[in-house]
């Protein structure tokens, strides 16, 4: 894809985990060779079960965790090749919104100070008045009123705290906004407010979004493309319409079938078609296809041979030995 | 209240109130509901609606400063204000409860097998030897893979889903007639959630056990529940059959909840209609209908007069202008 400003090239993040008393440390492959590109203004969803490496991948892009191998390429330049000074503007152009809204806000700062902080650090050229104007405008954009500017985080609800976190992240007009489970801790009725807000911000600002979530229905609404991770590896990467309309990978299919829908005529039967089993230990991933221990279509070949990530037409990638036969059957 | 159905649990005019330094908190206000044998009732509502408080009251597990009023009868036996010893005997035997975070209810330093066995030793006077054998069977019924090995593992060695299965095994040890599950799958992946829910459903069917399933997810309710009660600000605002409530809700709150949920099966270009404002806080009682500040169609009557629950279209609804017959009222 041309015009990508962020590119991951066979990115690996391994953690060293102590094996216990007198046992050697073991390697945990949290992200194991993920490649992808994000275009300006695009929202990319990252989905998969707990522990599959979603947050680690996001943190690696933000340089919050050491990359073991592979590269993060920003505007054509590998991040590791940048000097500390060159990194500064880059940090400003990547921002993150966390899952727990209240915990991510400094309790001793007012809302106005919290949102102004990134400007103070990265936009020293602005006067105090200019800063205040920008903060007030930003707060209004996320649906908070000007008269709340001098209040402290604990005076706000979870949904409002998440708006503050989003305002802080958006104030520098970043190129990339990373959202790690931004609505998971919120009440159902508030989730929709935040999803709509993110949709609006994305449309108006042209900011790209990396949206990490285990809520597939939310990802489907917000993201143009979706990466399905399993034990640190890409299972499927496809445009949302294709992925949700006709999932190819057995794991994607299983995940989609597990999402409950509020229809008493359909949901009872869906319950029985969900994925079986649980994620294997990432310290001892299965041989061959990592998904094979839970795959109803696994054959001998899946045990011995790692499926390569195939490039399909329509901007789609899949790692499964049997996707073609399975597609024919479906 | 006597009915033809054999009710396992009857809750009548249940209220839970706290006096705090910051004022009174009405956590639960005048809730009545019945659950029949073999039936699942879904109890839904947002954070703070009073779901947990209502059922902790039934279990006799509220904080000591809670003021409880009303009745809760398990197969005709009054639970509220019952002798603590008698209540303790009931809990874990006829009446059991599982929670969102099994880690808080499991003892960290005792192997899983002994935690299950202990329930049998205490409530069923089994020997430890018999109890451990039975524990294995219970784990197998809870579809714990590798059950024999799990008996000797500690809770932290298990995944969240496995721990929840262990909690289910413990809850089922004494064949309860009533199981209360408080957000049992909220912390789990959708895949494991579906497995746990279908396990609960199977066990319910096999044992004729009644289940109260507390959740904020209407999708979860749709897979399991026969009846649904929607709580808002400590009160039931709508209750009835799962089909009625999810397909044709009468209360504006139920309808709004459904519209605000992104659905994996709905067209994406349909707008998501958020509910404005905040979920209720029982610290700030609201005059009139508790939902009126967030209701799209709240004429002045709703701001002054609290609607009582009444029967409409086969459901119980607390709204002055319920949706089915509100066509004229809504176009204000
Ligand atoms: N600092 C660390 N040290 C060792 N292991 C880690 C560390 N951080 C993450 N891991 C492990 O890496 C794997 C991936 O974790 P990660 O947090 O990225 O998963 P996730 O997909 O975000 O899961 P969740 O949905 O639960 O947030 C897990 O097995 C986790 O235990
Ligand atoms: N010991 C207590 N003292 C004062 N108020 C309390 C106490 N325990 C609970 N409450 C209040 O009672 C209200 C109802 O709480 P409850 O836990 O039943 O809500 P819930 O519907 O289960 O919400 P959630 O979905 O967050 O679990 C809350 O506002 C809570 O703050
Ligand atoms: S490669 Fe084999 S085991 Fe893996 S998903 Fe495809 S069929 Fe299943
Ligand atoms: Mg994570
Ligand atoms: Mg609760």
């Amino acid at each position: 894809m041309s015009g990508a400003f962020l590119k991951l090239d066979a990115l690996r993040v391994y953690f060293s985990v102590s094996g216990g008393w007198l046992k050697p440390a073991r390697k945990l492959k949290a992200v194991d060779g993920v490649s992808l590109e994000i275009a300006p203004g695009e929202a990319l969803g990252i989905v998969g079960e707990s522990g599959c490496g979603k947050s680690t991948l996001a943190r690696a892009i933000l340089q919050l965790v050491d990359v073991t191998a592979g590269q993060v390429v920003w505007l054509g330049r590998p991040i590791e090749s940048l000097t500390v000074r060159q990194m500064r503007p880059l940090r400003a152009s990547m921002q993150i919104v966390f899952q727990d809204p209240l915990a991510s806000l400094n309790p001793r700062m007012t809302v106005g100070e919290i949102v102004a902080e990134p400007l103070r650090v990265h936009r020293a050229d602005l006067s105090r008045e200019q800063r205040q104007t920008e903060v007030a405008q930003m707060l209004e954009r996320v649906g908070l009123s000007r008269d709340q500017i001098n209040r402290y985080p604990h005076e706000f609800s979870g949904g409002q705290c998440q708006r503050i976190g989003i305002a802080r992240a958006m104030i520098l007009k970043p190129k990339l906004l990373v959202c790690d489970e931004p609505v998971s801790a919120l009440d159902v009725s508030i989730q929709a407010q935040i999803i709509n807000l993110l949709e609006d911000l994305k449309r108006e600002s042209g900011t790209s979004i990396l949206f990490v979530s285990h809520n597939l229905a939310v990802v489907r609404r917000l993201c143009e493309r979706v990466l399905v991770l399993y034990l640190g590896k890409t299972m499927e990467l496809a445009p949302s319409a294709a992925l949700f309309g006709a999932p190819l990978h057995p794991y994607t299919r299983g995940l989609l079938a597990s999402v409950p829908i509020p229809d008493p005529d359909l949901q009872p039967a869906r319950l029985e078609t969900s994925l079986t089993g649980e994620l294997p230990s990432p310290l001892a991933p299965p041989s061959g296809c990592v998904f094979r221990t839970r795959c109803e279509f696994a054959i001998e070949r899946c045990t011995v041979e790692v499926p390569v990530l195939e490039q399909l037409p329509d901007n789609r990638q899949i790692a499964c030995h049997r996707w073609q036969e399975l597609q024919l059957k479906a | 209240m006597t009915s033809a159905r054999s009710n396992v649990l009857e809750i009548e005019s249940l209220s839970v109130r706290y006096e705090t330094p910051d004022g009174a908190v009405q956590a639960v206000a005048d809730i009545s509901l019945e659950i029949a044998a073999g039936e699942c009732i879904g109890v839904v509502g947002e954070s703070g609606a009073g779901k947990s408080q209502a059922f902790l009251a039934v279990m006799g597990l509220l904080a000591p400063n809670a003021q409880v009023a009303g009745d809760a009868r398990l197969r005709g036996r009054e639970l509220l204000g019952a002798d603590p010893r008698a209540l303790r005997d009931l809990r874990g035997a006829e009446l059991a409860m599982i929670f969102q975070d099994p880690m808080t209810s499991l003892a960290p330093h005792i192997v899983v097998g002994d935690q299950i066995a202990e329930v049998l030793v205490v409530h069923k006077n089994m020997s430890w030897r018999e109890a451990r054998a039975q524990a294995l069977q219970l784990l197998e019924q809870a579809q714990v893979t590798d059950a024999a090995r799990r008996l000797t593992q500690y809770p932290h060695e298990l995944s969240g889903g496995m721990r929840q299965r262990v909690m289910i095994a413990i809850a089922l040890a004494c064949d309860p007639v009533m199981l209360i599950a408080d957000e049992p799958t909220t912390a789990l992946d959708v895949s494991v959630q579906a497995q746990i829910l279908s396990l609960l459903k199977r066990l319910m069917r096999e044992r004729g056990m009644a289940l109260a399933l507390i959740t904020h997810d209407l999708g979860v309710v749709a897979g399991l529940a026969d009846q649904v009660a929607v709580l808002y600000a400590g009160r039931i605002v709508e209750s009835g059959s799962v089909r009625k409530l999810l397909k044709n809700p009468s209360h504006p709150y139920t309808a709004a909840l459904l519209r605000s949920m992104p659905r994996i099966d709905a067209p994406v270009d349909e707008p998501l209609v958020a509910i404005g404002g905040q979920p209720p806080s029982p610290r700030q009682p609201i005059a009139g209908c508790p939902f009126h500040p967030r209701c799209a169609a709240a004429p002045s009557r709703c701001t002054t007069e609290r609607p009582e629950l009444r029967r409409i279209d086969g459901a119980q609804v607390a709204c002055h202008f319920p949706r089915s017959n509100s066509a004229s009222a809504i176009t204000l």
Side-chain angles (χ1 to χ4, degrees):
Chain A
M1 197 191 318
S2 61
F5 68 97
L6 178 73
K7 204 175 146 200
L8 306 187
D9 192 9
L11 194 75
R12 289 172 210 276
V13 180
Y14 294 175
F15 294 111
S16 179
V17 184
S18 86
W21 198 55
L22 286 184
K23 287 190 196 137
R26 291 197 283 170
K27 238 187 255 145
L28 189 152
K29 301 179 176 178
V31 175
D32 198 14
V34 172
S35 300
L36 58 85
E37 298 181 347
I38 301 181
E42 181 187 38
L44 176 76
I46 304 183
V47 303
E49 288 161 295
S50 181
C52 69
K54 306 182 292 294
S55 298
T56 306
L57 181 63
R59 292 165 60 86
I61 293 172
L62 295 164
Q63 306 289 294
L64 296 173
V65 55
D66 286 338
V67 168
T68 311
Q71 278 185 334
V72 178
V73 183
W74 181 260
L75 295 171
R77 301 178 61 182
I79 283 189
E80 63 198 17
S81 73
L82 301 180
T83 64
V84 173
R85 247 187 79 197
Q86 288 170 322
M87 273 297 285
R88 244 177 99 91
L90 193 149
R91 283 199 191 281
S93 52
M94 295 188 204
Q95 295 291 322
I96 184 162
V97 174
F98 295 96
Q99 169 169 1
D100 186 344
L102 188 56
S104 65
L105 304 176
N106 185 337
R108 279 177 293 276
M109 284 165 79
T110 65
V111 166
E113 289 165 350
I114 289 172
V115 178
E117 176 82 359
L119 287 179
R120 241 199 327 270
V121 175
H122 291 282
R123 294 290 310 274
D125 56 307
L126 293 184
S127 71
R128 201 184 138 81
E129 286 68 40
Q130 284 172 313
R131 234 175 22 226
Q132 279 176 345
T133 316
E134 293 232 352
V135 168
Q137 279 172 357
M138 192 67 230
L139 283 176
E140 210 147 280
R141 241 176 111 192
V142 300
L144 293 168
S145 63
R146 276 164 198 260
D147 54 320
Q148 292 172 315
I149 208 161
N150 291 319
R151 303 236 193 110
Y152 290 88
H154 72 264
E155 299 174 56
F156 291 89
S157 67
Q160 287 172 321
C161 286
Q162 201 54 294
R163 289 171 194 274
I164 298 165
I166 292 171
R168 176 181 58 186
M170 289 298 291
I171 190 112
L172 293 171
K173 306 188 176 66
K175 286 200 161 58
L176 177 69
L177 181 69
V178 174
C179 299
D180 195 349
E181 306 275 7
V183 298
S184 306
L186 303 177
D187 264 306
V188 213
S189 69
I190 304 303
Q191 283 187 8
Q193 297 177 13
I194 300 295
I195 295 163
N196 288 344
L197 170 64
L198 287 170
E199 263 178 353
D200 292 345
L201 287 175
K202 187 183 139 217
R203 210 179 21 248
E204 296 159 14
S205 65
T207 294
S208 302
I209 298 181
L210 195 72
F211 192 85
V212 172
S213 179
H214 63 263
N215 188 330
L216 285 105
V218 175
V219 168
R220 176 166 170 261
R221 277 204 82 86
L222 213 56
C223 301
E224 280 88 32
R225 275 194 311 148
V226 184
L227 168 70
V228 183
L229 276 185
Y230 190 79
L231 287 176
K233 288 184 189 292
T234 301
M235 297 290 108
E236 185 164 5
L237 175 60
S240 291
L243 188 115
F244 289 102
L248 292 182
H249 199 284
Y251 182 53
T252 315
R253 294 186 193 192
L255 268 187
L256 292 186
S258 305
V259 178
I261 57 178
D263 185 330
D265 293 329
L266 305 175
Q267 185 51 23
R270 280 172 71 85
L271 260 192
E272 311 306 326
T273 61
S274 159
L275 273 177
T276 54
E278 292 189 19
L279 202 71
S281 162
L283 286 167
S287 65
C289 170
V290 280
F291 182 58
R292 70 169 165 83
T293 52
R294 298 169 72 188
C295 180
E296 55 176 316
F297 307 109
I299 50 175
E300 184 60 31
R301 183 179 173 200
C302 307
T303 315
V304 291
E305 192 184 326
V306 179
V308 294
L309 191 63
E310 283 179 62
Q311 179 70 53
L312 273 47
D314 305 326
N315 198 13
R316 198 163 187 176
Q317 296 173 23
I318 184 164
C320 168
H321 292 306
R322 302 190 64 191
W323 73 266
Q324 267 164 318
E325 333 161 33
L326 298 178
Q327 188 187 28
L328 292 179
K329 265 191 222 163
Chain B
M1 209 184 304
T2 46
S3 61
R5 310 191 314 164
S6 69
N7 285 332
V8 172
L9 183 69
E10 292 173 348
I11 298 177
E12 215 177 311
S13 309
L14 175 67
S15 293
V16 178
R17 191 182 164 84
Y18 293 93
E19 300 295 343
T20 74
D22 312 330
V25 176
Q26 188 75 46
V28 178
D30 197 17
I31 281 182
S32 300
L33 51 84
E34 314 173 336
I35 308 170
E39 188 180 77
C40 172
I41 184 164
V43 179
V44 293
E46 292 176 90
S47 192
K51 309 180 292 294
S52 298
Q53 288 291 309
F55 284 89
L56 287 173
V58 169
M59 292 290 290
L61 292 175
L62 288 175
N65 63 330
Q67 298 165 17
V68 187
D71 296 293
R73 288 180 296 271
L74 184 73
R75 294 205 280 195
R77 271 173 71 184
E78 181 61 52
L79 298 170
L80 302 185
D83 170 42
R85 268 234 307 284
L87 214 51
R88 205 160 41 223
D89 286 344
L90 272 181
R91 276 202 305 269
E94 280 175 68
L95 182 62
M97 185 160 179
I98 56 178
F99 299 91
Q100 170 173 346
D101 182 7
M103 229 22 197
T104 55
S105 349
L106 289 168
H109 305 300
I110 303 175
V111 295
V112 159
D114 286 2
Q115 301 201 40
I116 306 173
E118 187 185 358
V119 183
L120 296 162
V121 172
V122 170
H123 287 286
K124 291 210 154 168
N125 290 321
M126 280 188 192
S127 71
W128 274 95
R129 202 194 149 89
E130 283 173 295
R132 288 202 177 99
Q134 178 89 37
L136 177 63
Q137 274 185 21
L138 284 161
L139 277 185
E140 279 165 353
Q141 283 172 26
Q143 290 169 343
V144 170
T145 50
D146 227 351
R149 191 166 58 89
R150 307 282 183 196
L151 286 175
T152 61
Q153 288 186 313
Y154 294 92
H156 74 263
E157 297 178 79
L158 305 179
S159 68
M162 279 301 157
R163 287 200 285 262
Q164 198 55 281
R165 290 177 200 273
V166 170
M167 282 312 299
I168 293 173
I170 291 176
L172 296 183
C174 297
D175 262 314
V177 290
M178 174 84 229
L179 176 65
I180 299 165
D182 191 353
E183 310 255 10
T185 58
T186 302
L188 304 174
D189 279 311
V190 280
S191 50
V192 181
Q193 165 169 283
Q195 295 167 16
I196 297 282
L197 292 175
S198 90
L199 170 67
L200 283 174
K201 190 169 175 173
R202 212 198 65 214
L203 293 168
M204 212 181 96
R205 296 278 140 83
E206 281 171 12
R207 297 166 175 243
M209 178 179 75
L211 176 66
L213 180 65
I214 300 174
T215 174
H216 58 265
D217 188 338
L218 293 167
V220 164
V221 156
L224 229 61
D226 305 291
Q227 304 286 319
V228 181
V230 181
L231 261 63
Y232 194 85
R235 295 178 187 276
I236 292 181
V237 293
E238 179 162 17
S239 72
S241 77
V242 66
R243 184 155 283 102
K244 164 77 181 78
L245 261 78
L246 295 188
K247 295 247 169 188
N248 185 20
S250 294
H251 199 284
Y253 177 59
T254 317
L257 265 187
L258 279 164
R259 262 178 316 189
S260 72
M261 248 182 90
R263 287 176 64 148
I264 198 123
D265 60 331
V268 248
D269 45 16
E270 248 167 49
L272 209 52
V273 188
I275 308 178
Q278 304 299 328
S281 159
R283 283 162 204 280
Q284 295 150 356
I286 296 164
C289 169
F291 185 57
H292 88 255
R294 306 175 80 192
C295 185
S300 65
R301 181 176 171 202
C302 306
T303 63
T304 53
E305 188 187 329
R306 189 167 50 72
E308 295 293 334
L309 261 185
R310 58 198 167 107
R311 242 192 137 74
I312 297 162
D313 295 347
Q316 303 256 17
V317 185
C319 174
H320 293 307
F321 305 97
R323 285 176 78 253
S324 52
N325 60 0
S326 60
S328 56
I330 290 288
T331 48
L332 290 161

